[in-house]
Amino acid sequence: MENNRKRIIMVDDDRTNLTVARNALIDSYDVFTVSSGEKLFLLLQKLTPDLILLDVDMPEMNGYEVIKILKRSKATADIPVIFLSVLINPESEIIGLDLGAVDYLFKPFSRDLLLKRISLHLLLEEQRRELKRYTSNLEGIVVEKTQTVYDLQNAILNALAEFVECRDDMTGRHIERTQNYLRLLVNFLLKNDVYKKEITSWDINFFVMSSQLHDVGKIAIRDSILLKPGKLLDDEFEEMKKHVMFGLKIVERIEENTKENTFLKHAKILIASHHERWDGSGYPNGIKGEAIPLQGRLMAIVDVYDALINERPYKKVLTHKEAIEIIKDGLGRHFDPLVGEIFIRYEDAFAAI
């Protein structure tokens, strides 16, 4: 039959006190008695008690020294300790409680009082453990629910992005590839301490996820312009530029109906800034240099790279090496030089994608 009785260790260098305590507790608990701190630690290697009754005034190692060691060990730190002492003064009691004891009783102690105090602290410890288990389970549920919401958001964004892509068979998984390029580029920037402070302030998963929406505004662009073979006329290009404002309006509408919008903040930045150029010749706002948000500067280089090495209605496929040469030529004009240098340094990794 399983023994569900709580286990108490009594530590005291006085045999009479050990006997009295054992007789007082034996009907309700499994009681183990030891005469020193050294023997306590030997016993703790064999069993873990539910509570320790610890004498303060002992030779060689006093109770205060014992509890310090107990609290330093992960295996024993949470075991409730009740001090027993003949030192009837507030200072000694405060020292004991400050060291982590749950209670402080004076000897000679009343049997009934000792039983009541032990019962109370065992109950409190059980409630503490139950609360810890509940909190742990609750945290697990929250993590699971958060992941579910994240996956749902990602699936919705992915479906929306794919809807944009399906209008143009030539793009061929552009959104998926640019996500992979972005994650890789961020990792290489962090590895080389380039823009590390700013990047580490982001939720990188949200940033990468939000990049799916960088061209969402193309939903509103006419097929005659979006799918036109060859170079766009000036007025057609002006119409194409409007996909930025259309994209921002779409994201703003989504924002109105959700409380969790961290990823949407990144999306708005990416939509508004990935066509800006380092020298200020980009659109829609003609901003330049580090005034362009870093998210947009990263998106600009991976977006252009993927467009160069894949077929589009207006151009043929270029090789990876040809694309890299164009990017090199664009450093300091189209692209952030620091970001571009990292991209080129690790060009083989991007080519593998």
Side-chain angles (χ1 to χ4, degrees), residues 88-125:
I88 306 177
N89 63 73
E91 290 77 13
S92 298
E93 187 174 355
I94 290 170
I95 291 171
L97 295 174
D98 282 345
L99 289 172
V102 297
D103 212 337
Y104 197 104
L105 298 180
F106 301 107
K107 295 188 287 187
F109 48 78
S110 157
R111 175 183 180 276
D112 291 340
L113 178 61
L114 180 62
L115 285 169
K116 286 289 186 183
R117 292 290 181 89
I118 290 174
S119 176
L120 171 64
H121 290 296
L122 288 175
L123 177 61
L124 290 174
E125 178 60 17

Side-chain angles (χ1 to χ4, degrees), residues 223-233 236 312-314:
D223 285 351
S224 61
I225 294 176
L226 186 65
L227 306 180
K228 180 182 177 180
K231 186 176 180 180
L232 296 176
L233 300 176
E236 293 172 330
R312 292 290 186 269
Y314 52 86

